[in-house]
Amino acid sequence: MLKDKIKQRAELVPLCRTWRSEKRVIGFTSGAFDLLHAGHVEYLEKARQQCDILIVGLNSDASVRRYKGKNRPVIPEHERIKIVAALASVDYVYGFNERRNRKNIEQLKPDIYIKAGDYTVDQLTSQEFVTAYGGKAVLIPIESDTSTSKIIEKIRADKTGSFQSVQFENQIHFLRHESKSKPAVFVDRDGTINMDTEYLHEPEKFQLLPGVLPGLKKMQDMGFRLIIVTNQAGIGLGYFTKEDFYRVNRRMFQLLAEQNIQIDKIYFCPHSIAENCNCRKPKTGLIEQAQRDLNIDMAHSFMIGDTTIDLQTGKNAGLKTVLVETGKGGKDGKYPVHADFIAKNLLFAADWILALERETKEK
């Protein structure tokens, strides 16, 4: 019966002692298993082949939110646990609130700790606890290209359409609208997202920097709006046109779309310094416009860039700031300002934001 496979962790502790005395190999794995798909099923089938009894720890709704962001899980815990229990490969399943598996390992003491093989055994935070009592860790290679995030993005794409944009004035507007207040990550473009080529206006010269795709994807999955704010003085100086700028952006959209990354809006200043406009960073005109357009939760938003101009913009707007060491790496020396965090690239910036969000939610 399904209900016989769903347990509390405390119930499984004495059962594990009994199975060990009977020399039965106990396997343990864990995960959110949100929107169960073929990749999950294949993984659990292979995990079951490693042991006599497979126990699955299911992350609670609260722990999934701490890791994946406030929009996850899609399927609530009480439903996810029944779905996992229905699989023939799973012998027992229980829910747990901790983010890490240390407590699970210490209490159950499985013979085999099983995880998906998208990292190395040395990176497993619970590896030392497993080996301490004589257990071992096993990684199962990921073969399926399916993921919950990809399923969610496909649903969004089907609902909102393609990456079509409408361009006018100094904004690029996407044909998608969300009225609910959400935090945003404001990101500079040149030197932060792409190689900093002076007065970039040729699409073929656009090159994404390392860490950009996984970094933006991680921030998107956390529930942040992704907004680009960029100074483009080359337009005002006559070095290139707005149409050139749009063509470069279209190349960027193509590359981001390959990873299902959607930019909510691009705001840009086409003016030179001499024009003394209110939209050129570090003035906050672009960010203020974004706040009006998109109902941004500014208190939980961030500014990421490679110059002190970007940092000063964030400070002026009351945002937390991240300096990336790509591009100019903060060596432009325009403003005596310090970032809240310095990151190697956008991926490291996303990791810090994620850690900060978890810390805030756990308080």
Side-chain angles (χ1 to χ4, degrees):
M1 295 289 290
L2 193 65
K3 64 179 181 180
D4 296 327
K5 297 174 70 174
I6 301 174
K7 301 286 186 181
Q8 297 294 319
R9 182 168 53 197
E11 294 179 277
L12 289 167
V13 173
L15 289 175
C16 285
R17 285 197 292 265
T18 300
W19 295 326
R20 278 193 297 273
S21 69
E22 297 171 349
K23 306 300 182 184
R24 301 173 75 180
V25 178
I26 304 167
F28 170 77
T29 191
S30 66
F33 300 103
D34 191 21
L35 289 180
L36 193 76
H37 53 71
H40 291 141
V41 175
E42 292 169 5
Y43 167 71
L44 292 173
E45 285 282 352
K46 292 177 181 178
R48 183 61 176 80
Q49 294 170 9
Q50 302 285 327
C51 55
D52 297 320
I53 298 170
L54 179 62
I55 301 173
V56 176
L58 187 94
N59 289 94
S60 67
D61 292 346
S63 66
V64 173
R65 280 192 292 272
R66 286 196 296 270
Y67 179 68
K68 298 285 189 179
K70 63 182 181 180
N71 294 324
R72 298 283 297 277
V74 176
I75 307 299
E77 179 183 354
H78 70 276
E79 294 183 15
R80 287 184 288 123
I81 203 165
K82 290 179 182 178
I83 294 169
V84 172
L87 296 175
S89 57
V90 175
D91 294 293
Y92 296 96
V93 59
Y94 68 92
F96 68 99
N97 291 315
E98 300 84 15
R99 180 173 164 264
R100 303 291 188 186
N101 274 313
R102 176 171 179 170
K103 192 170 183 179
N104 292 325
I105 299 296
E106 289 180 332
Q107 293 195 13
L108 300 178
K109 292 184 173 59
D111 299 289
I112 305 176
Y113 173 40
I114 308 166
K115 292 295 286 183
D118 51 354
Y119 41 81
T120 66
V121 171
D122 293 338
Q123 291 175 307
L124 296 177
T125 58
S126 300
Q127 161 75 354
E128 60 181 289
F129 307 112
V130 179
T131 57
Y133 61 79
K136 68 175 181 179
V138 173
L139 297 179
I140 296 179
I142 296 176
E143 296 182 359
S144 174
D145 189 44
T146 306
S147 73
T148 298
S149 296
K150 288 183 178 180
I151 293 172
I152 292 173
E153 291 306 326
K154 185 178 187 303
I155 293 171
R156 285 176 176 169
D158 290 343
K159 182 177 179 181
T160 62
S162 64
F163 292 89
Q164 184 181 359
S165 60
V166 177
Q167 305 155 357
F168 62 89
E169 295 301 326
N170 62 336
Q171 305 168 29
I172 295 180
H173 291 253
F174 289 84
L175 300 182
R176 47 189 296 233
H177 176 71
E178 297 179 51
S179 58
K180 183 179 179 181
S181 179
K182 292 175 62 175
V185 177
F186 294 90
V187 188
D188 171 56
R189 195 191 75 173
D190 302 327
T192 302
I193 291 177
N194 56 278
M195 295 288 291
D196 190 7
T197 301
E198 189 172 20
Y199 299 122
L200 176 62
H201 64 283
E202 298 166 287
E204 61 272 17
K205 292 184 178 180
F206 182 91
Q207 296 182 55
L208 289 175
L209 288 164
V212 168
L213 292 176
L216 290 177
K217 188 69 168 64
K218 182 171 287 190
M219 290 184 281
Q220 177 177 278
D221 289 346
M222 290 170 63
F224 285 97
R225 293 187 187 278
L226 299 179
I227 301 171
I228 294 175
V229 286
T230 175
N231 289 343
Q232 295 294 322
I235 297 173
L237 293 171
Y239 294 146
F240 56 90
T241 66
K242 288 184 181 180
E243 287 69 28
D244 294 327
F245 175 68
Y246 298 149
R247 281 194 290 269
V248 171
N249 285 329
R250 278 194 286 272
R251 174 56 182 158
M252 176 178 65
F253 301 152
Q254 291 170 356
L255 296 174
L256 298 184
E258 292 174 3
Q259 298 298 319
N260 293 315
I261 298 170
Q262 300 183 49
I263 301 299
D264 287 81
K265 258 186 185 180
I266 295 180
Y267 293 85
F268 68 99
C269 171
H271 309 113
S272 66
I273 297 176
E275 293 178 81
N276 194 30
C277 62
N278 69 349
C279 59
R280 183 178 174 82
K281 295 183 296 184
K283 292 183 179 179
T284 58
L286 298 181
I287 291 178
E288 290 170 7
Q289 186 63 51
Q291 184 180 12
R292 290 191 293 270
D293 291 345
L294 299 174
N295 193 18
I296 303 297
D297 176 3
M298 297 292 285
H300 298 94
S301 295
F302 297 82
M303 175 75 207
I304 304 177
D306 69 308
T307 69
T308 61
I309 296 173
D310 298 312
L311 298 182
Q312 190 62 53
T313 303
K315 296 294 184 184
N316 290 343
L319 305 172
K320 300 180 187 68
T321 59
V322 180
L323 173 70
V324 288
E325 294 178 331
T326 53
K328 293 182 174 60
K331 297 178 181 178
D332 58 297
K334 296 289 186 181
Y335 296 92
V337 61
H338 299 285
D340 293 302
F341 183 71
I342 299 176
K344 182 178 179 180
N345 55 39
L346 273 181
L347 178 56
F348 285 82
D351 287 339
W352 178 73
I353 292 173
L354 177 58
L356 193 65
E357 290 294 291
R358 289 174 182 158
E359 180 182 330
T360 301
K361 290 173 182 177
E362 289 174 357
K363 288 182 179 179

